Amino acid sequence: MTQRTVLVIFGTRPEAIKLFPVVRALADQPALRVRTCVTAQHRGLLDQVLAIADLAPDIDLDLMEPGQTLDRLTARLLTGLGEVMDAERPDLVVVQGDTATAMAGALAAYYRKLPVAHVEAGLRSGDIYHPWPEEVNRRIVAPIATWHFAPTDTAAEALRRETIDPAAIHVTGNTVIDALLWTQGRIAADPMLAAGLDPIADRLAGRRLVLVTTHRRENFGDGMGAIARAIGRIADREDVALLFPMHPNPSVGSVMDAMLGERGNVWRIPPLDYPHFVRALELCDIVLTDSGGVQEEAPALGKPVLVMRETTERPEGVAAGTARLVGTDENRIVSEVFTLLDNSGAYAAMARAHNPFGDGQAATRIARIIADAGRA
Ligand code: UDP
């Protein structure tokens, strides 16, 4: 049997988390030969996931440069990925989500008339500046892709509205749930994997734990300042501790350093590897985030998630009642957190486990569809 070569491309932490289950599922298909290429758009964060998922990329472009502009990054990605495609001669290319890597990977494939599979297709906020530049990145992939793997019906509907052929849209669930469940299984089998968080659990001493992450570009500047002030006011309460794994982007750290300083109950720590982050999600009472992936994981664990954004392309968490948009208004963030801390009814209403984003089988579905397409 002639195998078809699938080139899977990714560059950032969330892409690696959402694609490692896909790489494994594709590798289980005898008709496919899988090659992986990382651009290392986020070097350190990406490597943490590769290590946990036991994934050694076949090609590593290592394109990370300190302080690189979006123009320069995009130009280097397009050229670098095009050269990889010329050398590897894949039969199809897989990209995920809405990063510069996904957009440039799809475009380089299009220039070579290679079919593209888009994992996590159809997310739309409707506003090209929220999130920026991700909303346009993912819209650019849509007309290029041959297979659109939509995580939910809402995402599939968004693609149909853009006149994507319905036969090319497959609702698979989000592969982040596959990654989450796999990682929980690994932690259950080997608790040492996430044991680094035990001291945090011990230090809680009855306090409620708020898990904070923030990294969105559109929140840099005023938004980040408001988030820092809100964290400071939440930390004024003695019954609360905040665990804040800091994204390495200096636009986050500099504001937090200047505005928060050192506080005994704000635990600012380096980014956690995935098993430790999953453990932090399990431990916490409330999640305060502007992350996309965290909005999908928190509902699966029944953790109320307050989303520090004005819009979301993941309305399913809001519809299920586990997520609420709070924007970057300082007073709103503080009052929503305090309501959850002080009103057990409000807390219970949000803290119900739902899985609107998938059942953990998304990667298997995706791999089967790609393998079956070759048999036609
Ligand atoms: N995450 C992690 N360690 C951390 C913070 C987040 O492993 O310290 C994971 C998280 O579980 C989620 C993903 O990283 O799966 C989200 O990445 P990020 O927020 O950077 O990107 P986004 O999802 O907003 O694109």
Side-chain angles (χ1 to χ4, degrees):
M1 174 187 22
T2 337
Q3 285 183 312
R4 284 183 307 143
T5 299
V6 185
L7 180 66
V8 184
I9 298 172
F10 50 105
T12 64
R13 171 176 64 192
E15 287 168 279
I17 290 172
K18 290 174 172 180
L19 279 177
F20 82 73
V22 177
V23 171
R24 282 165 186 274
L26 289 169
D28 283 345
Q29 293 289 337
L32 303 175
R33 170 177 171 263
V34 187
R35 301 280 290 166
T36 51
C37 171
V38 298
T39 62
Q41 199 183 320
H42 288 169
R43 177 84 267 169
L45 300 187
L46 174 74
D47 289 348
Q48 278 185 331
V49 186
L50 296 177
I52 294 298
D54 220 359
L55 199 71
D58 299 303
I59 305 131
D60 190 335
L61 290 177
D62 200 16
L63 284 177
M64 173 82 174
E65 270 184 353
Q68 62 196 338
T69 61
L70 284 175
D71 320 48
R72 190 164 158 78
L73 170 65
T74 304
R76 295 176 77 220
L77 285 166
L78 191 58
T79 321
L81 290 170
E83 284 167 5
V84 169
M85 289 174 204
D86 291 340
E88 294 284 323
R89 304 183 149 274
D91 295 290
L92 68 120
V93 171
V94 176
V95 297
Q96 196 281 336
D98 51 22
T99 62
T101 293
M103 182 266 288
L107 201 52
Y110 169 66
Y111 288 160
R112 288 158 184 79
K113 298 190 174 162
L114 292 170
V116 171
H118 189 199
V119 175
E120 200 184 55
L123 272 60
R124 298 289 183 269
S125 70
D127 178 342
I128 62 166
Y129 292 107
H130 287 94
W132 175 78
E134 290 88 349
E135 176 79 359
V136 163
N137 284 343
R138 58 197 175 208
R139 286 199 210 177
I140 290 172
V141 182
I144 295 173
T146 299
W147 298 273
H148 305 257
F149 295 118
T152 62
D153 289 329
T154 311
E157 181 53 34
L159 291 166
R160 286 192 288 269
R161 274 200 305 274
E162 288 172 19
T163 67
I164 301 292
D165 176 4
I169 303 169
H170 307 273
V171 179
T172 58
N174 198 310
T175 57
V176 78
I177 305 298
D178 305 30
L180 177 67
L181 299 182
W182 181 86
T183 305
Q184 284 188 305
R186 287 281 310 272
I187 298 171
D190 177 8
M192 287 313 289
L193 253 188
L197 230 61
D198 293 352
I200 301 269
D202 293 342
R203 268 171 80 189
L204 271 178
R207 286 177 290 195
R208 313 280 290 282
L209 184 65
V210 181
L211 176 63
V212 185
T213 79
T214 176
H215 74 94
R216 290 246 87 81
R217 270 175 204 265
E218 70 268 20
N219 281 348
F220 293 171
D222 293 347
M224 205 52 72
I227 291 170
R229 284 193 300 277
I231 291 172
R233 282 173 56 194
I234 297 164
D236 285 341
R237 288 178 57 141
E238 286 176 0
D239 60 341
V240 176
L242 294 104
L243 179 63
F244 191 174
M246 301 276 298
H247 197 275
N249 193 307
S251 305
V252 182
S254 59
V255 176
M256 297 302 156
D257 284 343
M259 301 189 59
L260 269 178
E262 290 298 318
R263 283 165 173 265
N265 59 346
V266 182
W267 303 331
R268 285 202 276 147
I269 56 171
L272 291 167
D273 68 26
Y274 194 50
H276 283 92
F277 192 77
V278 169
R279 185 80 194 102
L281 277 169
E282 289 173 348
L283 274 178
C284 76
D285 294 287
I286 298 170
V287 182
L288 194 55
T289 190
D290 61 10
S291 159
V294 179
Q295 276 180 71
E296 293 153 346
E297 293 158 337
L301 301 179
K303 302 296 175 170
V305 53
L306 300 174
V307 182
M308 299 185 290
R309 292 179 47 187
E310 306 300 334
T311 55
T312 182
E313 58 285 290
R314 295 168 170 89
E316 297 86 352
V318 178
T322 329
R324 184 166 300 151
L325 282 179
V326 297
T328 50
D329 177 84
E330 175 192 339
N331 290 329
R332 174 104 200 265
I333 296 171
V334 173
S335 77
E336 295 277 3
V337 171
F338 284 5
T339 301
L340 286 174
L341 290 171
D342 297 329
N343 181 332
S344 56
Y347 187 85
M350 284 186 83
R352 280 178 291 115
H354 287 282
N355 249 340
F357 297 105
D359 61 1
Q361 298 299 317
T364 309
R365 292 188 187 103
I366 289 169
R368 276 206 200 111
I369 291 165
I370 290 178
D372 287 350
R375 290 193 243 281

